[in-house]
Structure formats: structure tokens, C-alpha cells
Amino acid sequence: MIQTALKVIFGSKFERDIKKIAPLVDLINSLEPEYKKLSDYDLSQKTVQFKERIARGETLEMILPEAFAAVRETSLRKMKMRHFDVQLMGGIALHNGNIAEMKTGEGKTLTSTLAIYLNALEGKGVHVVTVNEYLARRDAEWMSPIYNALGMSVGSIYSQMPYEEKRAAYLADITYGTNNEYGFDYLRDNMVEHRSLKVQRGHNFAIVDEVDSVLIDEARTPLIISGPSEQDVSLYIKVNRVIPQLQNKIDFEIDEKARTVLMTEVGVSKAEKLLAVSNLYDPANIDLVHHIHQALKAHNLFARDVDYVVQSGEVVIVDEFTGRLMAGRRYSDGLHQAIEAKEKVEVKQENQTLASITFQNYFRMYKKLGGMTGTADTEAVEFKKIYNLDVIVIPANKKMIRLDRADKIYRTQKEKFEAIASDVKERYTKGQPVLVGTVSIENSEKIAKMLALKGVPHSVLNAKYHDKEAEIIKDAGQKAHVTIATNMAGRGTDIVLGDEVKELGGLYIIGSERHESRRIDNQLRGRSGRQGDPGESRFYLSLEDDLMRIFGSDRIAPIMQRLGMEEGEAIEHKMVTNAIERAQKRVEGHNFEVRKHLLEYDDVMNKQRKYIYSIRDEILEKDDIHEIIIEFIEDHVSEKINEYLPEKKTSEWNIEELKKWLEHSFTITSFLNGKDLSNESVDSMHRIILKLIEEKLKERKEKIGENNFKILEKIISLQVIDQKWKDHLNTNDQIREGVWAMGYAQKDPLVEYRFQSFDMFEGMVSLVKEDIIMYIFRAQVQGMIEEHMPEPKEIIGNAIHQDVKSYGVSVGNFQPASFNPNALQGAKGNSQNRETSKAAVHTSGGGSHRKSSRRKK
């Protein structure tokens, strides 16, 4: 009642949002006659004038009406497309750092040009984020006539892109790319060893297209750059031979809701016999238990042509939200290897983490963030909580007249697919175009076979035929055309109706199954009924569908039995639709908790990551880092003096250990020399030690040469930081995997993780300073070290989140030894071109130096 009363007094949120925006739209419209009179040259000069006004102190908000008017007029001249008033509203919402929810076909790509141009005027770069590389290139090329006419440069980034081209794309006023590539470029930038090798230039403003897909669906897994470990993979093959001998509900139990498989006591005993071990849960067999659990998941929860495909002897993941193949992406924690063993293809080594970040923490780095989608309102709470983004619902330019039919539900999948095939045949005969949406490659091919038997010509669009996507979508709205597509047809595509099709009822959408997210269903429906076109949609379901079986069939099956339904009959009732939506809401709530949980853990790492990257950046940016080294020395000395010379406890002073430390870290052997310490204080000892170190440092610099020493400090600092950070990430992963057991001790695993991780991090930072100092004082340099500009380096793998291929840099253990000035060599790999030149530090025995690894995709 209170909400209703407030709505009557203040209006709905939608009404309030539009009321705020409307006056600006009127102002932009009032400028149109003036801008129509401008020549093309005068219109292009508006950009110069706007930049001058910004330099004089005007804000973007003050310039917005004129900037939007300039973009609208330029678009009309160059693209023959004039922004509708609702698109101006969307542009204002984006500029204000909100999500603009606009229905399919309302022209989101054109809408974004308004906010993109306005924010690019600051000269700090604008990033436009798309869900795949095809759309990034398409949108950059498609909209570039507008930007170019206004004097703005445009670039697009993609995986496998040469370093020089990618850096140039980032230096453009406007850059298009995918969320994965932006995130991985950020991580790679924090692994380079020369500032010129960074490609990004900060995080000013980003507009995320299909924002719910990027910031919600794909935010369940972090971005990870990893390198190969030394682990033997033969255990995966050994365990895989055992799994087919274990039986469901006897030896193990499957929890489909939680996506886990748990062994029973009977199963444990059987596995012990099959694997010839006396106690599977002996601490020595921890790895074996882990392998069994992953193998059980691989065999029972992950299906070929649903979750992955096998191509050219490799297991390639199928993205559950888009249906696209995710080349280079690997399941983490040994699951990918377990699937490889199951499919009897080459089992590749596990990887160890070199760098990682969640999408949430990456996109929260931008000073301002906006987004566009046709389906955001269902996730408005999460957008606000995680990203502080409000959802602004933009009205449609033309009224939507699509007919959304009630769901039809059958007892079995066989009955459901027969009904779908019959419905498609009927529409095809009528001449109406049909788009059938499926949730898996397997189902798309099953329906295709049934249609072939009924003599219905059709096109199939799934991950196996993604190279034909543009051609298939172009024809999908033509008369009597039938298209079967996985979810990949639901994003960034615009199906235009052919001649006569409107009279036949427009595009007919058939959903062959409900997705766990309502948004995915809405996106499929949204392919039809664009810009006031007629259209129709219906979902066909069965009690055997995953969503129904896991979450809803227990309520609906008894009703169907009471009705005495015969084979082939369906029920069509609002109650069914409501039950399904409740099931979807439960799944969405669970997935939100998964994302929130991931973020809570990554927030711990994020503080540490920011600290390490800030030190690294400072070292990269400065030509001379001697002041930083002096700070490290002072911190390290203070720490050791506190350890060896406790205040007001002279009797507990450990002079022998202090002398060993000075010799080990600074090669100082002259400390004390029989000096009486009875009158010395901790402060005086501190001064004596710092003076000795200062003298030794001066001596080292004179011996090596000032320029040599300057370069040496930088090279060693970066190498040590990278090595220690990599080790810290790996240990941190182990802590995170282990803290779940704290729940049994009535402790919060997250709290325990925070304590353990930060304790470990403090120790790591201390070791970083200690090792940097030690190598600087012990490295032996012959000849001149030339300031070397490394060649751009290829980073292994098309790095995709979850678990990714190697970065291509093997970071070895450092030993205090001789330094080879000529060994500023680069590592080879294959993906993103970048060189992280690593100076080789040799052991005193002349042993092996740091090597870099190369793995083929």
C-alpha cells in the first residue's frame, strides 16, 4: 500500500527517470535547425571548439546538448540514420553512468555513439565493450564514418593482434573490443618489463554492450593468465579407467543443483580396490581423491556437444550463454584434463596462475561506466550493489505488438520435439519465417534431423557453424526461412523481415527449452517484433528438461497425471509459466550468490594486486629507481633490527645472527670488529648499520658504473616482484581451496581466508624487499649493460577466463650470483605480441639461467 501511494504521488521510477531526461532531449531538438545549416567542415570543427571549451573549464554536461546535436546531424549525413528521441534518452543515460535498457531493434549501437563522442572529447580514451570480436570489428567499422567526420579516431582490438596495432588501437580516441581482451590486456600490461610495452592508457569511460551478459553472466569466472606446471598428467588417464566401473546411486551421488558429485562409502571402498590403495583419504592420497572427484564430474555432469565439443583432438568449451566455442579457454582445477582423459584425447598439463582478476573488479576500475541491453531490469539489484549502476528503462520508439504465447508443456522430450517439428512444418508451409532457439548444439542438431525428415529446408547456427553466422542471420527473416540456433543468435544480431513477411505474422520464435536465466529467454523472444514489426513467440517444454526436472517437475507432474493426459498432449496454463519463473528466480538467486562469493574472495586479492601493480608501475615509469631501493633498504633494516635487537632488552640482542644477515644481504663483513656495545642503543646501532650499507652501496655503484647500476636495480626489482607475486598467487589458491574445511570448526571460511592471505602477503612483501636488496648487492656484472628495448612478446594462448593457456614466461628461482649483462633475452609465445625481456641471473656454479616457455595452442 505504501509503495502504491508513493507511486501515485511521485510516479514510478520509469516516469521519474524519463521526466529528468526529457528537458535535455527538447534542448537537443531545438538545436537541430541550427546544425542543419552547418557545412560538413563547420560541423567537423565543432570537435575542436568543444575541446577548447573543455580546456577552459567547461564540463561535459555543459557541452552535452551541442555534442549530441552534432552527432545526430553527422549520422544523418554520413549514415542516413537520424537518432530518434528515445535514442537521445539512451545516450544521456549512458553518459550519466547508467544502464540503458532498450528493446531489441531500438538501435543501441547508434545510441551509444552519442555518449561515446561526448566522453572522447576529454582525450582520455573511451572503451566500447562487446560480447564477441565479430561485433567489436563490425561496430567499429560501422560507426567510424560518424566519428571520422567529427575528427575522432577509432580502433578495435582482438586476440592474436600484433602489439604495434593493438597499442595504436588503444591510443585512438575510441576503442572497441571484448571484455576478455580488455581484461587480459590489463593483466598483461602488469607483466611487461618496459613501460613502452603497455598497450592500455588508463580506464576512463567504458560503455558495455549487452551489459547483463558481460557483467552478470560471465562474471561467475575470473580472468586468469597461467603458465604450465610440472605436474604429471598420467594420473588423469589412470583414474579415468576406473570411473566407468563406479555406479550412480551406489558408488556416488549426483547433486545437479549444486553441480557436484559425492562418493559413497561403498564407492570409496571400490575405488580403493580398483586403484590398489589401502586408504583413499590418507593425506598422501589427497591428489588422488581430487582426481577422482574431477573425473566423476567430467563423466556425469559435463556432456559432449552440450558443454564442450571435440575438434581436431582438443576439448573446446561451449559458452552456455552464447553457444559460441571458447577457443583457448580451459576448465580450471584439473577438470579440463579429466574431460580430455574421458574423450581419449591428449591430456595437457595443468596450469599455474600468473595473474588473475574478476570482471567485477576490472570494470570497477573505470572512472565512469555505462551499459546497454534489452534485458537488465531483472538484475537491477545486482547492478546497483556490485557496480553502483542504475537501470534506466528507455521507452520504445514504436509500440511492441509481438504476441507472446503461453508455454506448452509435455511429459517427455520426444513429445516436445515432435510438437516443435510439426509447428515449424505448419509455419513453413504458410511461408512464415521461424527461428528455433535451443540451449545446446545437441538439441539444435536433433531438431534439424526431425525437420529434414519432414522435408523442411532449414539453416543451423551453432558453435560448429559460427563462421556462417552473418549469412544465416541475414536470411533468417525471409519468407519461408527456418533457422535453428543456439543462444549465439540472441546477442548483437538484427533480423530484418523480408517482403510479405509482415502480412504473414512476422518472425515466429520457438524456444525449445527454458534457460535458467529469464534474460536469455527474453533475448530469444526479442529477436522478433523489432521497431513495431509483428511477431510471435512460444516456448515448448517437457518434464525431462533440465530446469523442469531439477526445479519444477515435482509440482507439475502430479497435475498432468490427474488430468489423465495422453502421449502428445500438452498443458498450456499460466500456473505452469509462473512455476517456471519461480524456478528461474531461484537459479538466478543462486548464481548471484556464486558471483558475490567469488567477488568477496577476489576483493581480498584486489587490494594486494593494486599494491603490487602500483609498485611495479612506479618502477616501470621511473628511469632511476634508486630512491625506491633506499626505501626498501630502510624498511628491511628496521624489520631486522627489531628482530635481532629488541628495544630495552640488550641481554637478548642476537649479534651473531645480525652479522650473518649483514654478510648475506649486503656482503658486509666489517661490522663491529671487536667494538664494545655496552653503551650502544638500538637507534645508534641503526645509524651504524645504515652508514655501513650506504658506504657499501656507493662502493658497488662505483665498481659497476652508475648507468649499469641503475639498469641493474630496475631489472632485478621487476624479476623479484614477478617471481614472488606468482608464488603468492599459487599459495593463495591453495589457501582458498583449503579454508572451506574451517566451516566444520564453526569458523567463517572467508574470514579465515582474509587473515591467512593478508599474513602471507605481508610476508611476501618483506621477502620481495629482502631479495631485491640481496641480488643488487651480490650480482656480478662484467662490461656495460646497455639500456635494452625488448621486442614485443607473444603471450601464449588466446587467454579466456576460467583457466587459460600459458602466458609464455617461465619465472625461475633467483640465486645470488653473477649477472650476465648480455642475456637480456625475450621469451617466445603466441598470442598477444609483447616482450618481457628478462635478464638472466646465473648461479654461482654457472648453472642454468631463466628460461622462457613456449606452448603451441
Side-chain angles (χ1 to χ4, degrees), residues 56 61 143 249 308 384 387 420 502 523 652 819:
R56 291 197 298 267
E61 285 68 30
M143 295 295 119
K249 296 182 180 176
Y308 63 89
K384 186 64 177 175
Y387 302 100
I420 289 172
K502 290 183 181 180
Q523 286 152 20
E652 296 180 17
F819 177 76

Side-chain angles (χ1 to χ4, degrees), residues 429-485:
T429 303
K430 174 184 167 185
Q432 185 176 14
V434 182
L435 173 63
V436 184
T438 69
V439 297
S440 69
I441 296 170
E442 181 185 39
N443 284 349
S444 69
E445 294 180 345
K446 187 181 294 183
I447 293 171
K449 287 177 184 175
M450 295 177 76
L451 290 179
L453 291 174
K454 288 183 178 287
V456 178
H458 56 273
S459 300
V460 178
L461 175 57
N462 61 34
K464 291 183 177 179
Y465 311 109
H466 66 88
D467 55 326
K468 300 178 181 176
E469 178 177 355
E471 181 185 341
I472 292 172
I473 289 299
K474 179 173 65 71
D475 295 332
Q478 302 304 306
K479 184 178 178 181
H481 204 92
V482 176
T483 308
I484 306 165

Side-chain angles (χ1 to χ4, degrees), residues 408-424:
K408 279 192 172 184
I409 181 166
Y410 295 80
R411 288 183 302 177
T412 66
Q413 282 196 350
K414 179 177 177 293
E415 295 170 67
K416 178 186 75 172
F417 286 129
E418 281 291 345
I420 289 172
S422 296
D423 194 359
V424 172

